[in-house]
Amino acid sequence: MKAIIGRKLGMTQLFTEDGARLAVTVIEAGPCPIVGVRTLDIDGYDGVQLAYHTVDLTDLSKPEAGHLKKAGVGPHRHLTEFRGTTDLAVGEAVTVGVFGPGDHVKVSGTSVGKGFAGTIKRHGFSRGPVSHGSHNVRAPGSIGQSAWPSRVFKGKRMAGQMGNKRITQRGLTIIDVDPTRNVLLVSGAIPGPKGSLVEIREDVH
């Protein structure tokens, strides 16, 4: 299993040997100590729980601090579980060294929240006519029926909260790894604003 937790630092660009420009995202990832290992025999599935972002002990609740102390790990803010097996034991750390240039990965994070948005911005609806006194220039139009079923179906695309939801971006490639600074360079863009928490996992095609 190749997986790690990190923080999005931003985007930059690299130039290949033939002069092509490549957009990359800079991610500060790990080191992530292993807090728990799930096995098929005991838990019914294989998984590994990782911790990230060291904090003061006073920033955690007693159950959180006790859970980490039992694993021999210091106080950390975030805990995330990944499916898969590992050769490492509880207490050992996962670093960016598990990845190498050319590895295919997928990155999960929370997309940028854009607040309350209408149907044109949120779903790409077309606007209505703007002549002859029309009052539905940016209105969504009819959303339901009259006789049957006399209600609006669930899941109807309407105005509402845009963004601020979990997104997984696939088809990414590791461009470079810097173990000294715990940095990964990933091709293309990933979800979330600068400084947001992301999960990097191996993308098995």
Side-chain angles (χ1 to χ4, degrees):
M1 180 205 72
K2 293 183 179 181
I4 198 169
I5 312 171
R7 185 169 59 94
K8 178 180 177 180
L9 298 183
M11 293 194 69
T12 185
Q13 60 186 8
L14 297 177
F15 292 91
T16 61
E17 294 180 356
D18 57 358
R21 186 177 64 177
L22 187 64
V24 296
T25 301
V26 184
I27 304 175
E28 182 184 48
C32 297
I34 296 178
V35 179
V37 176
R38 312 291 182 243
T39 60
L40 186 62
D41 296 334
I42 299 176
D43 305 287
Y45 67 97
D46 293 317
V48 179
Q49 189 180 65
L50 302 181
Y52 178 70
H53 187 198
T54 56
V55 292
D56 292 332
L57 184 62
T58 54
D59 293 334
L60 301 180
S61 65
K62 287 185 178 180
E64 291 171 334
H67 176 65
L68 293 168
K69 183 179 179 180
K70 184 178 178 180
V73 176
H76 285 72
R77 170 65 66 196
H78 305 288
L79 294 177
T80 303
E81 191 167 289
F82 298 92
R83 292 295 180 99
T85 59
T86 180
D87 296 330
L88 300 178
V90 174
E92 295 184 295
V94 177
T95 65
V96 293
V98 298
F99 295 103
D103 287 351
H104 297 286
V105 296
K106 53 185 177 182
V107 178
S108 299
T110 303
S111 61
V112 176
K114 301 180 184 299
F116 189 95
T119 54
I120 291 179
K121 180 178 179 180
R122 191 182 186 202
H123 300 295
F125 282 15
S126 298
R127 63 175 177 81
V130 294
S131 60
H132 298 290
S134 173
H135 293 285
N136 69 330
V137 176
R138 295 181 71 91
S142 176
I143 62 172
Q145 302 79 25
S146 133
W148 183 89
S150 300
R151 63 184 176 87
V152 178
F153 285 118
K154 290 183 178 180
K156 189 72 174 178
R157 293 185 298 169
M158 301 173 67
Q161 167 71 37
M162 183 177 179
N164 193 31
K165 62 181 180 180
R166 182 178 173 85
I167 300 291
T168 299
Q169 180 64 50
R170 305 190 66 173
L172 303 175
T173 305
I174 299 292
I175 303 300
D176 197 10
V177 180
D178 187 352
T180 59
R181 293 187 292 177
N182 298 318
V183 167
L184 291 173
L185 296 183
V186 180
S187 63
I190 65 172
K194 294 180 181 179
S196 61
L197 194 72
V198 294
E199 303 165 10
I200 305 98
R201 292 169 287 169
E202 183 181 18
D203 193 3
V204 180
H205 295 284

